[in-house]
Amino acid sequence: MIANARFFPFSGIVPNDLVMLIKNNSWKELSILLLGFLFRKLSFLGNQYALYRKTTGPYDDRTKGPGMEKELTKNLAYLKDNLSDSCDLKVHPLEFGPKNQWSGAMVFIEGMIDNGKITDGILRPLKDWRPESKMPAAGDGLINELAKKVICAGSVKPVASLGDIILECLSGNTAVLVDGCATGLIIGTKGWEKRSVSEPQSETVIRGPREGFTENICNNTALIRRKIRSGRLHVENLIVGRRSQTDVRLMYLEDVASHEVVAEVKKRLGRLDVDAILESGYIEEYIEDAPFSPFSTVGYSEKPDVIAAQILEGRVAILVDGTPFVLTAPMLFIESFQTTEDYYTRPLYASLVRMLRFVGYLISIFAPALYIALTSFHQEFIPTTLLFSIANAREGTPFPVLLESMGMVFAFEILREAGIRLPRPVGQAISIVGALIMGDAAVSAGLVGAPVVITVAITAVASFLVPAQNDAASVLRVVMMVLASFTGWYGISMGALAVLMHLGSLNSFGVPYFNGLAWTRDQEDTIVRMPLWFMIRRPQGIPENNTVRGRFFIPVFRPHEVLDEDSEDEQEEGPKERGAGA
Amino acid sequence: MKRQWLSRWSFLILLLLFSLLLAGCWDYHELENLFIVTGVGLDQVADSDKEEDPDKEANTEKMDVTLQIGKTQSPSTGSSDTGTQKSSAILLKTAKDTTMESIMQLDQDSSRTMLLHHNQVMLLGRDLAKSGIENRIDAFLRNQQMRMEVLVMVADRRAEDILAAELEEEEISSMYLYGMMQDLYNVSPHYKIRMLDFVSRLRDGTSSAVAPIVELVEQEDKERLKLKGMAIFKKDKMVGSLSSQEMQGYIWTMGNVKQGALAAQTDLGRAVFRIVKLEAKRDIGLNPNGSIRGTISVYATLALTELRGFSGMTPLELMPYLVTLSENEIKRQIRDAFKVAQELDADIYRFGLDFHRRHPKVWKTIEEQWDQLFREMDLDLQVKVKLPATGQIAKSLEMEEPKP
Amino acid sequence: MRIDKSRISGLQFMFAMTCFIQASTLLSTFIASVTFQDSWLAALSGSLVCLPLIWLYRSLMVMFPHQNLLEIFDEVYGPVLGKVVSAGYCWFFITLGSINLTDLGDFVKLTIMEETPNVVLLIMCILVAAMALRRGVSLVVRYSDFFVTVAFSVLVISIILLLNQIKLENFLPVFDQPIGKYIQGTHIIAAIPYGELVVFLMIHPNAKMSRRDSGRYLLWAFFLGGFTMLFTVLRDVAVLGNTLDMFTMPPLVTLRLVNLGMALSRMEILFVIVLIILLFFKIMVLYYVSVMTVAHLLKIKKYRHLILSVGAFMITYGLTLYPCPVKHAASAQETTPFIWSPFEILIPLLTFIVAKIKKLPAGKEM
């Protein structure tokens, strides 16, 4: 902090001196003082960030717990103790065997198990069990016998650690403990009330599958598997969160996804040392590349077909238990502009919509800034008749343009937030009140000019074209407005260049985030969407191997015309081609 | 290392933010603090003013500068008193040596700043135009706020009267003038004289600049603006003008005409044609005797729009007759205009420039005596008219039926 | 060894050079008042004269594929003399950067921001460029192809929109000026946009390209850039005619004339942003090269420490270089080409010859 001392000799000042300074009108010292204060605050933040960067030890802190004892009572006592004697912990005593000579207990947590599975899979077989040959002795033999021959369940496994038993119980499995055995059985009886697969609210489509992920991770994995029936689709389970012990699964195509990216994702997930993961947003925030950037470097979606497409392009999907939002990495900037429907509709229209989306995104960032720059700096560039109409509208409004448009943008954000959080019917009422009454009233009362309302309205509507970049656009919009009110068009152009440079400096898991519309193969799926049969390669940069999607062939255009003209050729070449195809 | 960098960067960003907030914005002009200037008029100082102030007599450099400003009205108040609406243009006037001095003076005297970017027209008063304008228009070229597209026009009397005109068609007279010129531009681009065209001719050395003349006409309490002809400048002084008819002749000589009307009168009757297309090809060369020979070939496509008279002629006879009739009429008008130009020694056709471009070597020897050469130049005029259609009817009512 | 380790592709290298040449189209001003309506001839002959120069740069790039200009000097002239030459180039690059920086300031002041102090504009520009420099050359040239595309489309669009104002007679008479004027114009064109390509000798080791590619890319960049310059001059002459030499920035006046009726006039703001972007790109490249040169001279591996200080120096130097744009234009017409010539032509040529005599790179390669 030598720099600190050099720049701010007054940093150790006490409030009395502050009063003195104000009284003496020594503004210079005062401003240095304030600067010093802000500087210290910022360097504190910097310290915190540096601390965060230092914590890199991989987290491996799963409570192993002691091994099991032979006495059932001791085990049960331990379990009760370590599950904090909760009332939803059920211990069901059992007696079984031909002569009911064995006593045991079934441990589970109420509400997380499927009662049918317990009755049919554990209780009934145990009651009916009559060993065919000699009775196995208490101990591992008995447990093995139970596991193999008696219990009817999809997943049965022996455990010897009490810690594991606690974990399994907490995730909805049932433990069967037998007196005299130092191992127990864990039986998969997970079953709880869950939402069924339904159409996602955040991404609605006109054409395309309507199913969405649910909160259940197994279900989600299955939904993806149903799309990609490939043996190379690798699923890997991790448990993250000291307390929440959340299941996190990685899914990727082993032979396509880049090993570096996979290793990077695993490394970053391993670095996580947190209390709980309640939503994939937690993971996203911990593993993203640029936490302070307005642009997100991890993608997400709620739809299986989107995630399947991402996996097929070589990305890694990160599923988190308890949320329908699945993360994908690496994320490219261009992804936000590609929707699944682009690939389900015909390429010409899809390209048109794609371009519209780019224009909409630019409008949503630059429109208010442009309005400010044009009306308060460069009146020269407005056509004369338009200038008169704007000037007429501005006449008599009390606020400067910046304040006016800032206020309107702010009001729009308020309305949007209010509309989202409220139930749908009320939300609609809010938007009607906000948009119609407030906008109209403000104009006719002479508080704001109509052009501002129009500008903000077009900005607002345009911002919904690219929902994935909405948060970035909101931030950039304000920045651009400030820059525009500072140095007008020059400020906007420098701001735009700064955004470009920032985008260029971003990396997502080692892959460049934005390639600047460079002249590469990726152009086929950037501003336009080429026909599917044209895009034979996966996007550049993401996949490591197997970059080819399929063989290139051109579907026959207008088949009857071809038949008319080249019917002879067709006959000659027909069999050959079929041979080559096979 | 990392931490230091971060703090240093944040310090810099902080400084920038402070400078943003504290230093203020330099080019910031709220729209409501601006006067949008739509027209500038330059006039010789009026006689009445001279008498008031004896100092002005000594300084002949002074001129009246009139600014026309489009008035902005807030929509809420504007709608209530439409009945008693006054003129929507404001006129500000002052007399100073130069244009910019006057504008700055007006800036000081008024509540708002002048915005000159949207100036549509520069009107020169007739008297000022006659006394020379080269030293008057520098501001219109130098100033960043001035555009090269500004129309140059000459007022028949005083420019301020034109700017003050209250028209029915358009509330602001300069906007009306702009619209009028834009309309004429579609007839022929040579009607519309922008500052660029005007200056380009002034810089030629031998060419004469032209500018349309507008006239204020009062018809039954209503004021109207009319195009009266074209002013001809010799060097930078206005020396004469072309009448409306002669102006048409001049425009035809320049070619590239897309619309227009042509009326021809003979003993037999009167025929009115619409010009569909009119092209002119020019060639210029040196006669063996040292005089200049100019050739203009006009190719016109006309359409018949109205006929009166011509009774007793069959359509078959009529068409060739009309062709020669229209050819002669075009020739007559072109010659009329050319005669005026020659009398004034004013090369409005830019023959000199043409000659320079075609024969750069010879040009150097004759450049000095161009005025005389132009005066004695003979014009070889060829007109070819095509009259492909007679319109919706083949015969007019007055025509005699061919006897069976 | 190398200070900046980021790599760029050969194509990016090519587009960067194209963009660099395109950025100089604003400077067609300087020849307009020398050769008038024949400016396009000067642009054309200037380009053709530069072909051997391009070949010279290409041969240096091929001879020393892994060394930048300063390293070449060290090797060819030895450590002491090499350092002296390098210091000269350090001054050259920084001056070039400062001049272009003031160009940007003057341009912006003349067109859109009349009252804003120059220093604010320059600081903003340098800060944004510094952002890019921190990531090395890969970010500096990343958007060059995008910029080139935009510049080309603007040129084409402006020509289409101005078609009705183009008068081909404005080119007549051809060869009307004394021969000396043509030589002067040719020299200006050769020295200012093309000779400045020497800065890319500082970047070429970062580009991934083969021996054959380097020549091809240089030529393509030369053609694309020269094409833009030629057509800009042609357009300006055709539209402005004999008023061309009257204006301080003819391309801007030309663009201001675009008018498609009342509603579609005054669109030059779109062109202004392209010109700002192009100038910014040129400044960024020169800034990068200056920082690299300083880092090399001072033997600093972590060049990031230098970025802001070099930037601050360039701003102050640029602001004090010329008292006014008129003087700037005059010096660009008369003196600058002569001062630049040694750095752009003589020293590279000398280096090439000495290297050939000493058979330097051959021994090194093996």
Side-chain angles (χ1 to χ4, degrees), chain A residues 516-534:
Chain A
L517 307 175
W519 286 21
T520 59
R521 179 157 57 70
D522 285 351
Q523 279 295 345
E524 65 192 22
D525 194 15
T526 303
I527 290 183
V528 293
R529 204 264 297 162
M530 295 300 275
L532 288 176
W533 45 262
F534 189 90

Side-chain angles (χ1 to χ4, degrees), chain C residues 234-255:
Chain C
L234 281 175
R235 180 197 68 193
D236 294 349
V237 173
V239 172
L240 293 179
N242 62 353
T243 51
L244 178 74
D245 55 305
M246 207 168 71
F247 302 107
T248 35
M249 270 179 202
L252 195 78
V253 178
T254 316
L255 294 174

Side-chain angles (χ1 to χ4, degrees), chain B residues 2 25 43 46 67 74 144 175-176 192 208 247 283 307-308 341-342 385:
Chain B
K2 201 97 204 170
C25 320
D43 279 309
L67 297 186
S74 90
Q144 189 257 328
M175 299 302 282
Y176 176 76
K192 186 177 166 183
S208 280
M247 175 172 67
D283 192 23
L307 272 186
R308 181 187 297 157
Q342 267 187 329
V385 164

Side-chain angles (χ1 to χ4, degrees), chain A residues 47 62 68 97 101 118 199 301 311 340 393 408 415 433 451 463 479 488 567 572:
Chain A
N47 283 337
R62 291 182 58 186
M68 281 171 67
Q101 65 269 56
I118 290 207
E199 192 176 351
S301 174
I311 290 174
T340 43
M408 288 310 286
L415 282 172
V433 169
S463 71
V479 172
S567 49
E572 279 174 27

Side-chain angles (χ1 to χ4, degrees), chain C residues 130-199:
Chain C
M131 268 178 76
L133 255 61
R134 285 173 55 75
R135 294 281 165 161
V137 70
S138 67
L139 187 54
V140 169
V141 303
R142 170 167 288 176
Y143 298 111
S144 50
D145 43 2
F146 175 57
F147 293 161
V148 167
T149 320
V150 171
F152 261 115
S153 34
V154 159
L155 179 67
V156 171
I157 289 170
S158 70
I159 288 179
I160 291 171
L161 290 180
L162 284 164
L163 267 185
N164 59 350
Q165 298 184 30
I166 282 178
K167 294 193 193 77
L168 293 180
E169 296 133 39
N170 283 337
F171 291 113
L172 291 170
V174 189
F175 294 119
D176 199 27
Q177 313 293 329
I179 197 84
K181 291 277 185 189
Y182 292 104
I183 294 174
Q184 193 188 349
T186 306
H187 189 195
I188 293 170
I189 288 287
I192 288 180
Y194 294 116
E196 285 172 6
L197 283 182
V198 74
V199 302

